[in-house]
Amino acid sequence: MKWLIPDCYWPAVTTDGEYVSHEAICVLNPGKADAEVKLTLYFEDREPLTGINKVCPAQRTIHIRMDLLEGCPIPRGVPYAALVECDQEIAVQYTRVDTTQPALSISTTII
């Protein structure tokens, strides 16, 4: 199964406070088998980032914070897109928290 998220963006600016600008790809696996989740990130001006693999255990959820990926730096202030691939039937939700100004905003969509 595949899901595309064409409008990803980690703002370069963040305000001081409890929340920082970030994105997350949230996965729900209601099935009875663990789900192997693979992310590929695409950019306008550079090669894709590959090799981002996560496991979502059966009947569980994981929240993949894009700013906290180990060994895979997401550039700030650069638009990109994400391809989510999985070997099981899962639900995928993308969320962006934008704190570039004091009245922070959050946007989310279920794919």
Side-chain angles (χ1 to χ4, degrees):
M1 302 186 75
K2 295 182 180 183
W3 297 263
L4 296 168
I5 307 169
D7 184 25
C8 300
Y9 184 78
W10 184 22
V13 176
T14 191
T15 58
D16 292 331
E18 185 176 348
Y19 297 104
V20 296
S21 293
H22 69 274
E23 303 167 283
I25 295 175
C26 305
V27 176
L28 168 62
N29 178 6
K32 297 194 184 287
D34 291 354
E36 301 286 334
V37 180
K38 177 179 146 184
L39 302 178
T40 303
L41 307 181
Y42 296 92
F43 301 91
E44 296 174 347
D45 61 350
R46 61 190 84 186
E47 292 299 310
L49 284 174
T50 60
I52 306 166
N53 301 303
K54 301 290 181 181
V55 174
C56 185
Q59 299 182 337
R60 297 290 187 267
T61 183
I62 60 171
H63 295 75
I64 305 167
R65 281 273 303 260
M66 302 306 285
D67 61 319
L68 300 177
L69 290 175
E70 291 182 29
C72 181
I74 304 296
R76 295 185 101 164
V78 175
Y80 67 98
L83 168 64
V84 180
E85 297 177 277
C86 188
D87 63 343
Q88 303 291 322
E89 187 172 333
I90 59 172
V92 175
Q93 179 179 1
Y94 169 77
T95 301
R96 179 184 303 150
V97 175
D98 185 343
T99 65
T100 56
Q101 51 191 329
L104 66 90
S105 66
I106 186 169
S107 61
T108 190
T109 188
I110 297 176
I111 310 166

